[in-house]
Amino acid sequence: MARRSRAARGRVENTQVAAPFVKRVLPYFDLLDEERLAALEAQVDWIFEDVGVAFRDDREAVRIWRDAGAKIDGDIVRADAAWIRSLCALAPREFTQLARDPKKSVVIGGKNQVFAPVYGSPFVRDLEGGRRYGDIASFEKLVKLTYMHPFLHHGGFVTCEPCDVPVSKRHLDMLFAHMTLSDKPHLGAITEMSRARDSVDMAEIVFGQEVMAQNCVIMGNVNTNSPLLVDKVASEAVRAYCGRGQGIVVVPFILSGAMGPVSTAASVCQAMAEAMMVCAFSQIVWPGAPFVLGNFLSSMSLKSGAPTFGMPEPVVSNYVIGQLARRAGLPLRCGGSLTASKIEDAQAAYESADSMHSTMLAGANFVMHAAGWLEGGLCTGFEKLIMDADRLGSYQKVLSGGLDTSEEAFARDAYGEVGPGGHFLGSAHTMRNYQTAFYEPKLSDSENVESWEEGGSKDMRQRAFGRWQTMLADYQPPKMDEATREELEAFVARRKEELPDAWY
Amino acid sequence: MARRSRAARGRVENTQVAAPFVKRVLPYFDLLDEERLAALEAQVDWIFEDVGVAFRDDREAVRIWRDAGAKIDGDIVRADAAWIRSLCALAPREFTQLARDPKKSVVIGGKNQVFAPVYGSPFVRDLEGGRRYGDIASFEKLVKLTYMHPFLHHGGFVTCEPCDVPVSKRHLDMLFAHMTLSDKPHLGAITEMSRARDSVDMAEIVFGQEVMAQNCVIMGNVNTNSPLLVDKVASEAVRAYCGRGQGIVVVPFILSGAMGPVSTAASVCQAMAEAMMVCAFSQIVWPGAPFVLGNFLSSMSLKSGAPTFGMPEPVVSNYVIGQLARRAGLPLRCGGSLTASKIEDAQAAYESADSMHSTMLAGANFVMHAAGWLEGGLCTGFEKLIMDADRLGSYQKVLSGGLDTSEEAFARDAYGEVGPGGHFLGSAHTMRNYQTAFYEPKLSDSENVESWEEGGSKDMRQRAFGRWQTMLADYQPPKMDEATREELEAFVARRKEELPDAWY
């Protein structure tokens, strides 16, 4: 029985879309016309030139800006918009992030789309263990599941916070897990300059100095401190990653009405201005450094002031920022499977789907939080990860398949076989094509109600629970050169010796 | 406490989008280019001219076609494509369906979008009563809820089958319920010629002969018998409705691989060809009759052969048929909040959202099954109705709001008040705009986990249960002229006398 079910799973897998990332054939959904896009860009330029963005570290960022020719007023940097845009134009429109398994390397930018899991949650939740603080054991399970899932192309980084490891050392354990339990591309730490450096150093052990000099093998992901502030964490991360030719993802998180004006248009412009200022900074540090422009815009509940997700305002913002990023020639991170729901209920799914559908059509190149996000990002759900990822396969087929209009797809021969009121089930055309015709989701139940009840009336959450447990039971680590592993272990051991235990 | 909560609900309501239907400002998502659209249209024309569509009633439809000049071969009708397209061009690009309350009349076609509930389910389900056969009591509750909900613009018709009333008579009870418990527009019966006539006769009692001669006040909704067959039910419904100047919605239901070829392109073309042949027929019967071109395309599970919903293939078909319908100049019915799930779980919501997001962007003018659908259409969910409808408000805001790019939306004055790292919560711009800035969903919980747990850890389904019960408790029937009501009662009583009790 178990054997048969394993074989059946294998057959279905073959009919699915599987690729290291999405190569998009679908056109984009262009929500705004040229004139209105130009109006938004004028607002962005106004922020560059008149409002300015503050850079607050130990005056190093301001020094770099001054040397490059910006106008400095205290810690506020203002600059000619054309100059900022010309600096941004130095960043590549698309670039490859190498994976340890070269077949899993991803191209970020252009018509490509890369899906990565949730990032940064202090809590985890699963159907058996309930809600609890994240720990290194959960973290490793999440890395394994991401490694195994065909529709998660990238490992992300903090799939949950391993709260049982000191803050000062946990980046080492997280990096080691990504580098040994998976061979997909991933990000590195950003919370402090030395942690960012450790990340790049460990990547250098895995890829070697020569490869690293020529390629992006690791990236950091930082937030600006909206509104209009780039703090020490962000500017140091740019210097640590881009300073060694590696990539940086910069994401203003704007809850409209709090960290930006309450209107979507103004918040989108502010996000563009903040991210492009950091992009320009990154290109001063290392001309040509891989840069991803991020946008994380949330609406607000009038009842509680809490952020809301999957709502019309962020949906619209995804479409609009997609247009603006393409015009700026910069790879885009936006959207994800976002929700404010505490559990994997219908709210979580409605919000995640509307958020992700717009993320998909908007052409977001690097989609963090594409799976596993709950509770406004406070919690990683094991079932949610698997449920979202199942839906990512559907998006991948829409994006990379579009509509087949080949002669075979028109099936004219079938109409010679099947007359009015007949059926196409056994027609030659159906037999030739049925195995690849449809996306076959793993977690959607399409049985009739009687079969479903006989199977225990399981909802999607219960099916997802079973699936991730089976996946983990089947987990086989990717191959790794023993010398590299030992070198990584030695690095982690040495740094753990050097670093103090700090818990905050 | 109850009083305060009532007042709070009232305040939030004011900030929501509420309109009798959606006036779209958003551009369409055009998935195919001109060349590929032309290739699809060539296939549609090939079906008109070479393959043909069978019309099987008592030879009356074939007689009408022959008199008009079509080529008849047995019951198969073939015709010159240009002629079929010129007949379709007689149907209005948009038309108004009058509601009993004129403020609730809807415009179908053009840039307008109208949302109606689920249609045709034999079963109902709610959290308290579980799954059971539909009955007239449930039907009346569903009519009341549809009447009360701001984002359901149209009553539909068979929101569930009232299985406790004889098949031969239940159309009378359903019509009476729509006409007295609600004042929104609705559809009529189609299952038999006499039932269609009863529907039009009862509409004439409500609206009067004069109004009806000049206006569409009721429509029928029929399926073709795919592939390529129009049966007696369909052709008689066209004659009963269009023959008196009323509207008809014609919908090929194609499970790709069964009622159409297994490829999406071929199924979409077949749907267009079938519906346009019936449109041409309707325009021969009554030139200028309101016609809505339908498409209901489903993918298939390879495991069970069962239809699947919210999957990439029907999502793509929604976008493509939207383009084809606009080029044909015909109002479109497609999509809905569709799912194969048996209950209101995450599967139901993911599938419904992806189906509805594409329905929205595709520009579907008349969206049946926009709320309440479960189990591939076999079951109407009370909670599902309310949950889906809550999401329709979000789609309505995206469609009718787009992105505000007025000077006020750019909020330049706010940047004079708020500096780097500050917040916009108290800025004058926020105070002027926060009440209308965001869609405020009723059923999404954005509280923190502690508050949510204190409130009983309710999932969306439980919140929806509470909401529809409160709505029904608050129900007030719309005003109705007593003489009209008596005339309707007398009509129903007389027809119930005349008709035999038939249970199938």
Side-chain angles (χ1 to χ4, degrees):
Chain A
M1 184 65 192
R3 172 167 293 179
R4 208 176 64 200
S5 114
R6 191 72 57 88
R9 264 187 284 141
R11 269 205 310 283
V12 169
E13 199 91 55
N14 290 336
T15 68
Q16 290 200 344
V17 199
F21 56 92
V22 181
K23 293 179 188 176
R24 182 189 182 104
V25 300
L26 218 67
Y28 300 106
F29 174 51
D30 289 333
L31 192 141
L32 290 186
D33 60 20
E34 181 73 22
E35 189 189 341
R36 299 216 288 161
L37 288 168
L40 265 67
E41 285 168 343
Q43 172 92 348
V44 175
D45 290 353
W46 172 73
I47 295 176
F48 294 152
E49 299 187 346
D50 289 10
V51 180
V53 173
F55 280 72
R56 273 184 207 153
D57 58 4
D58 308 324
R59 312 258 337 137
E60 177 64 11
V62 164
R63 187 195 58 75
I64 293 171
W65 271 116
R66 182 179 286 118
D67 289 354
K71 284 165 274 183
I72 308 298
D73 179 7
D75 53 16
I76 295 181
V77 180
R78 294 186 182 84
D80 182 62
W83 179 55
I84 296 295
R85 289 183 181 275
S86 72
L87 284 169
C88 291
L90 299 175
R93 283 177 173 266
E94 61 177 73
F95 62 89
T96 299
Q97 183 185 353
L98 289 190
R100 190 155 74 74
D101 177 354
K103 290 195 298 293
K104 294 177 185 163
S105 296
V106 294
V107 180
I108 295 177
K111 292 197 168 179
N112 309 295
Q113 296 185 251
V114 172
F115 300 148
V118 58
Y119 184 117
S121 323
F123 296 95
V124 294
R125 178 188 281 276
D126 75 74
L127 212 50
E128 198 173 64
R131 184 181 188 270
R132 59 199 186 272
Y133 273 107
D135 53 25
I136 191 69
S138 296
F139 180 87
E140 289 177 352
K141 285 180 192 166
L142 292 164
V143 170
K144 289 176 182 174
L145 291 170
T146 302
Y147 161 66
M148 294 177 81
H149 208 290
F151 304 125
L152 289 167
H153 312 117
H154 193 282
F157 188 51
V158 189
T159 44
C160 74
E161 283 285 353
C163 299
D164 53 346
V165 181
V167 168
S168 52
K169 299 180 177 179
R170 66 174 67 146
H171 65 290
L172 298 164
D173 288 339
M174 289 193 282
L175 286 160
F176 187 77
H178 277 289
M179 288 169 172
T180 58
L181 302 176
S182 173
D183 56 12
K184 287 186 175 176
H186 60 86
L187 304 173
I190 50 94
T191 42
E192 204 183 61
M193 187 65 149
S194 69
R195 295 174 200 156
R197 284 194 189 125
D198 285 341
S199 305
V200 181
D201 287 344
M202 284 178 73
E204 196 173 279
I205 294 173
V206 172
F207 289 92
Q209 233 171 3
E210 251 175 80
V211 171
M212 196 145 151
Q214 303 296 324
N215 294 282
C216 174
V217 302
I218 195 162
M219 302 196 293
N221 178 85
V222 284
N223 289 133
T224 56
N225 206 332
S226 302
L228 305 170
L229 175 59
V230 179
D231 64 14
K232 188 176 157 76
V233 168
S235 65
E236 287 190 349
V238 171
R239 286 158 52 208
Y241 283 91
C242 302
R244 286 167 75 181
Q246 301 305 301
I248 194 87
V249 188
V250 176
V251 192
F253 163 41
I254 299 179
L255 171 56
S256 288
M259 295 89 105
V262 80
S263 80
T264 301
S267 292
V268 164
C269 293
Q270 183 186 313
M272 283 298 293
E274 292 179 8
M276 287 179 78
M277 280 296 275
V278 185
C279 181
F281 179 77
S282 74
Q283 302 304 308
I284 297 171
V285 171
W286 186 285
F291 181 89
V292 180
L293 179 142
N295 172 47
F296 194 95
L297 194 138
S298 151
S299 45
M300 194 197 284
S301 162
L302 292 180
K303 280 176 274 190
S304 62
T308 55
F309 300 94
M311 294 300 154
E313 302 79 21
V315 160
V316 165
S317 81
N318 282 342
Y319 289 126
V320 171
I321 203 124
Q323 292 182 275
L324 291 171
R326 281 192 292 285
R327 285 162 67 100
L330 291 170
L332 173 67
R333 183 200 137 186
C334 78
S337 297
L338 309 176
T339 179
S341 185
K342 270 53 73 183
I343 48 166
E344 313 75 8
D345 65 345
Q347 177 187 344
Y350 281 116
E351 293 175 355
S352 294
D354 279 328
S355 180
M356 204 47 220
H357 202 111
S358 54
T359 301
M360 158 183 91
L361 291 190
N365 301 109
F366 182 59
V367 185
M368 220 137 79
H369 315 311
W373 164 292
L374 279 174
E375 232 187 89
L378 283 177
C379 188
T380 296
F382 276 76
E383 289 80 26
K384 181 74 170 16
L385 183 87
I386 300 299
M387 286 159 49
D388 286 337
D390 201 45
R391 298 301 298 171
L392 293 179
S394 173
Y395 299 128
Q396 182 151 336
K397 180 159 183 200
V398 170
L399 289 168
S400 60
L403 187 76
D404 179 4
T405 50
S406 64
E407 202 183 311
E408 177 69 2
F410 281 120
R412 289 203 177 185
D413 63 303
Y415 290 98
E417 287 180 61
V418 182
H423 67 77
F424 290 80
L425 289 168
S427 76
H429 179 268
T430 301
M431 298 312 289
R432 285 198 305 274
N433 292 285
Y434 79 92
Q435 283 185 303
T436 54
F438 305 118
Y439 172 62
E440 186 78 23
K442 294 257 186 266
L443 293 178
S444 279
D445 184 295
S446 58
E447 302 290 317
N448 61 35
V449 73
E450 291 78 14
S451 309
W452 176 75
E453 283 172 354
E454 272 167 35
S457 302
K458 285 184 185 166
D459 66 13
M460 193 188 212
R461 190 152 62 137
Q462 292 167 304
R463 296 192 296 273
F465 176 74
R467 179 148 167 77
W468 70 257
Q469 299 234 319
T470 306
M471 284 174 73
L472 283 185
D474 289 350
Y475 172 78
Q476 297 285 345
K479 280 181 192 144
M480 185 168 215
D481 172 58
E482 201 47 48
T484 306
R485 166 188 282 276
E486 281 167 16
E487 201 176 338
L488 285 174
E489 276 168 350
F491 183 95
V492 170
R494 176 174 65 78
R495 290 294 290 145
K496 283 197 169 178
E497 284 288 317
E498 289 167 7
L499 293 166
D501 273 3
W503 286 96
Y504 51 89
Chain B
M1 184 65 193
R3 172 168 292 181
R4 209 177 62 201
S5 114
R6 190 72 57 90
R9 265 188 282 140
R11 267 205 311 283
V12 169
E13 199 92 54
N14 290 337
T15 68
Q16 290 202 345
V17 199
F21 55 93
V22 181
K23 292 179 189 176
R24 182 189 182 104
V25 300
L26 218 66
Y28 300 105
F29 174 50
D30 289 332
L31 193 140
L32 291 186
D33 59 20
E34 181 74 22
E35 189 188 341
R36 299 215 288 161
L37 288 168
L40 265 67
E41 286 168 342
Q43 172 93 348
V44 175
D45 290 353
W46 172 72
I47 295 176
F48 293 151
E49 297 187 347
D50 290 9
V51 179
V53 173
F55 280 72
R56 276 184 205 153
D57 58 4
D58 308 325
R59 313 262 332 140
E60 178 64 10
V62 164
R63 187 195 60 72
I64 292 171
W65 271 115
R66 182 180 285 117
D67 290 353
K71 283 165 276 184
I72 308 298
D73 178 8
D75 53 15
I76 294 181
V77 179
R78 294 186 183 84
D80 183 61
W83 180 55
I84 296 295
R85 289 182 181 276
S86 71
L87 284 169
C88 290
L90 299 174
R93 284 177 172 267
E94 61 178 74
F95 62 90
T96 299
Q97 183 186 352
L98 289 191
R100 190 155 74 75
D101 176 354
K103 290 194 298 293
K104 295 177 184 163
S105 296
V106 294
V107 180
I108 295 176
K111 291 196 167 179
N112 309 295
Q113 297 186 249
V114 173
F115 300 148
V118 57
Y119 183 115
S121 323
F123 295 96
V124 295
R125 178 189 282 276
D126 76 73
L127 212 49
E128 198 173 63
R131 185 183 187 268
R132 58 197 187 272
Y133 273 105
D135 55 24
I136 192 69
S138 296
F139 180 87
E140 289 177 352
K141 285 179 191 165
L142 292 164
V143 170
K144 289 176 182 174
L145 291 170
T146 302
Y147 160 67
M148 294 178 81
H149 208 289
F151 305 125
L152 289 167
H153 313 118
H154 193 284
F157 188 52
V158 189
T159 44
C160 73
E161 284 286 352
C163 299
D164 53 346
V165 181
V167 169
S168 53
K169 299 180 177 179
R170 66 174 67 147
H171 65 289
L172 298 164
D173 288 340
M174 290 193 282
L175 286 160
F176 188 77
H178 277 290
M179 288 169 171
T180 58
L181 302 176
S182 173
D183 55 12
K184 287 186 176 176
H186 60 86
L187 303 173
I190 51 94
T191 42
E192 204 184 61
M193 187 65 149
S194 68
R195 295 173 200 157
R197 283 194 190 125
D198 285 343
S199 305
V200 181
D201 287 345
M202 286 178 71
E204 197 175 277
I205 294 172
V206 172
F207 289 92
Q209 234 171 3
E210 251 175 79
V211 170
M212 195 145 151
Q214 303 296 325
N215 294 283
C216 174
V217 301
I218 194 161
M219 302 196 292
N221 178 85
V222 284
N223 289 134
T224 56
N225 205 333
S226 302
L228 305 170
L229 176 59
V230 179
D231 64 14
K232 188 176 156 78
V233 168
S235 65
E236 287 190 348
V238 171
R239 286 157 52 207
Y241 284 90
C242 301
R244 287 166 75 181
Q246 300 305 301
I248 194 87
V249 187
V250 176
V251 192
F253 164 40
I254 300 179
L255 172 55
S256 288
M259 296 89 104
V262 79
S263 79
T264 302
S267 292
V268 164
C269 292
Q270 183 187 312
M272 284 298 291
E274 292 179 9
M276 287 180 79
M277 281 296 276
V278 184
C279 181
F281 179 76
S282 74
Q283 302 305 307
I284 296 171
V285 170
W286 186 286
F291 181 89
V292 180
L293 179 141
N295 172 48
F296 194 95
L297 193 138
S298 151
S299 46
M300 194 197 285
S301 163
L302 291 179
K303 280 177 273 190
S304 62
T308 55
F309 301 94
M311 295 301 154
E313 301 80 21
V315 161
V316 165
S317 81
N318 282 341
Y319 289 127
V320 171
I321 204 123
Q323 292 183 276
L324 291 171
R326 282 192 292 284
R327 284 163 67 100
L330 291 170
L332 172 67
R333 182 200 138 188
C334 77
S337 298
L338 310 177
T339 178
S341 185
K342 270 54 72 182
I343 48 166
E344 312 76 8
D345 65 346
Q347 177 187 344
Y350 280 116
E351 293 175 354
S352 295
D354 279 328
S355 179
M356 204 48 220
H357 202 112
S358 54
T359 301
M360 158 183 90
L361 290 190
N365 302 107
F366 182 59
V367 186
M368 221 138 78
H369 315 310
W373 163 291
L374 279 175
E375 232 188 89
L378 283 176
C379 188
T380 296
F382 276 77
E383 289 80 26
K384 183 74 170 17
L385 183 88
I386 300 301
M387 286 158 50
D388 286 336
D390 201 45
R391 297 303 295 171
L392 293 179
S394 173
Y395 298 128
Q396 181 151 336
K397 180 158 184 202
V398 170
L399 289 168
S400 61
L403 186 77
D404 179 3
T405 51
S406 64
E407 202 182 314
E408 176 69 2
F410 282 119
R412 288 202 176 186
D413 63 304
Y415 290 98
E417 287 180 61
V418 182
H423 67 78
F424 291 81
L425 288 168
S427 76
H429 179 269
T430 301
M431 298 313 288
R432 287 199 304 275
N433 291 285
Y434 79 92
Q435 282 184 304
T436 53
F438 305 118
Y439 173 61
E440 186 79 23
K442 292 258 186 265
L443 293 178
S444 278
D445 184 294
S446 58
E447 302 291 317
N448 62 34
V449 73
E450 291 77 13
S451 308
W452 175 76
E453 282 172 356
E454 272 168 34
S457 301
K458 285 184 186 169
D459 68 12
M460 192 188 212
R461 190 153 59 139
Q462 292 167 304
R463 296 192 295 274
F465 175 75
R467 179 147 167 76
W468 71 257
Q469 299 233 320
T470 306
M471 285 174 72
L472 283 185
D474 289 351
Y475 171 78
Q476 297 285 344
K479 280 182 194 143
M480 185 169 214
D481 171 58
E482 201 49 47
T484 306
R485 166 188 281 277
E486 281 167 16
E487 201 176 338
L488 284 174
E489 277 168 348
F491 183 94
V492 170
R494 174 173 65 79
R495 289 294 289 145
K496 282 196 170 179
E497 284 287 319
E498 289 167 5
L499 292 166
D501 273 5
W503 286 95
Y504 52 88

